[in-house]
Amino acid sequence: AQSVTQLDSQVPVFEEAPVELRCNYSSSVSVYLFWYVQYPNQGLQLLLKYLSGSTLVKGINGFEAEFNKSQTSFHLRKPSVHISDTAEYFCAVLSGGSNYKLTFGKGTLLTVNP
Amino acid sequence: GAGVSQSPSNKVTEKGKDVELRCDPISGHTALYWYRQSLGQGLEFLIYFQGNSAPDKSGLPSDRFSAERTGGSVSTLTIQRTQQEDSAVYLCASSLTGSTDTQYFGPGTRLTVL
């Protein structure tokens, strides 16, 4: 069985500050990891994904994440956030096998204050 | 091109009524997923379609829930005899072939059962 733990339910930061949103996973099979963002009253949008290869993954809007197999982590980072980054962020692991469903963490609400 | 669309965007119904939720995936995408997003449970997988077949229905919470897909395109999620605990946002996603392809999400249908 696969699971995802997002350690912080809420992260408040000031504009132009760096941010890290933490994600840990457990998986007994091949690991495919994703970060999605959900803006208010909208669907989920893919920020970035790790399938294989380089452990540092760059995504849209200046976000990046690093896959760390030994620590079973996939933390999301941005060096300088904007007001417009205020949203909920979901880490997810994709199962293999017959269905390739996403298992999501509970989400982290990032609030960027002026 | 057009993204995943869902209708209606909002649905308010009375306990005990049946509801139908519709998903139009991205054209050409063979894989289609339904997820549910609720305050208590977070984001959870409901069902996966590959073409018109549903090889994984393991996430459907009860036999009141059913789904079908026709013509390898549009999908309908039906909830019979709705209960208050069915209140949630129902999200549909599609991907090109399944596997590790990116899942693109629709804006969701917010279901409120009174």
Side-chain angles (χ1 to χ4, degrees), chain A residues 11 19-23 35 74-77 89 108 110:
Chain A
V11 173
V19 71
E20 179 180 82
L21 306 183
R22 297 180 293 169
C23 172
W35 276 98
F74 191 55
H75 301 332
L76 181 71
R77 302 186 182 99
Y89 292 77
T108 298
L110 174 65

Side-chain angles (χ1 to χ4, degrees), chain B residues 78-89:
Chain B
T78 301
I79 309 173
Q80 296 179 310
R81 305 181 303 280
T82 52
Q83 304 294 313
Q84 288 185 333
E85 60 264 28
D86 300 334
S87 296
V89 176

Side-chain angles (χ1 to χ4, degrees), chain B residues 15-90:
Chain B
K15 178 181 172 181
K17 300 283 189 182
D18 298 351
V19 296
E20 284 190 354
L21 312 179
R22 177 187 169 107
C23 171
D24 279 275
I26 294 172
S27 178
H29 281 195
T30 63
L32 187 147
Y33 302 80
W34 284 97
Y35 294 88
R36 180 168 71 171
Q37 185 174 25
S38 59
L39 282 176
Q41 301 300 320
L43 273 157
E44 48 182 353
F45 166 82
L46 296 178
I47 187 170
Y48 158 66
F49 285 93
Q50 181 57 250
N52 293 334
S53 301
D56 189 345
K57 307 178 183 179
S58 63
L60 294 178
S62 75
D63 58 7
R64 296 186 296 106
F65 287 72
S66 62
E68 65 174 10
R69 189 178 184 195
T70 56
S73 181
V74 171
S75 177
T76 303
L77 178 69
T78 301
I79 309 173
Q80 296 179 310
R81 305 181 303 280
T82 52
Q83 304 294 313
Q84 288 185 333
E85 60 264 28
D86 300 334
S87 296
V89 176
Y90 290 81

Side-chain angles (χ1 to χ4, degrees), chain A residues 50-114:
Chain A
Y50 171 79
L51 301 181
S52 65
S54 173
T55 57
L56 183 62
V57 181
K58 294 188 182 297
I60 62 171
N61 301 340
F63 284 93
E64 64 180 33
E66 184 154 21
F67 170 60
N68 188 318
K69 187 174 182 178
S70 63
Q71 298 186 7
T72 61
S73 68
F74 191 55
H75 301 332
L76 181 71
R77 302 186 182 99
K78 186 169 182 178
S80 175
V81 293
H82 304 289
I83 300 285
S84 59
D85 292 322
T86 295
E88 189 142 27
Y89 292 77
F90 292 93
C91 182
V93 61
L94 185 75
S95 66
S98 61
N99 64 19
Y100 293 99
K101 68 181 182 184
L102 288 166
T103 300
F104 289 90
K106 295 291 188 184
T108 298
L109 178 61
L110 174 65
T111 304
V112 181
N113 299 300

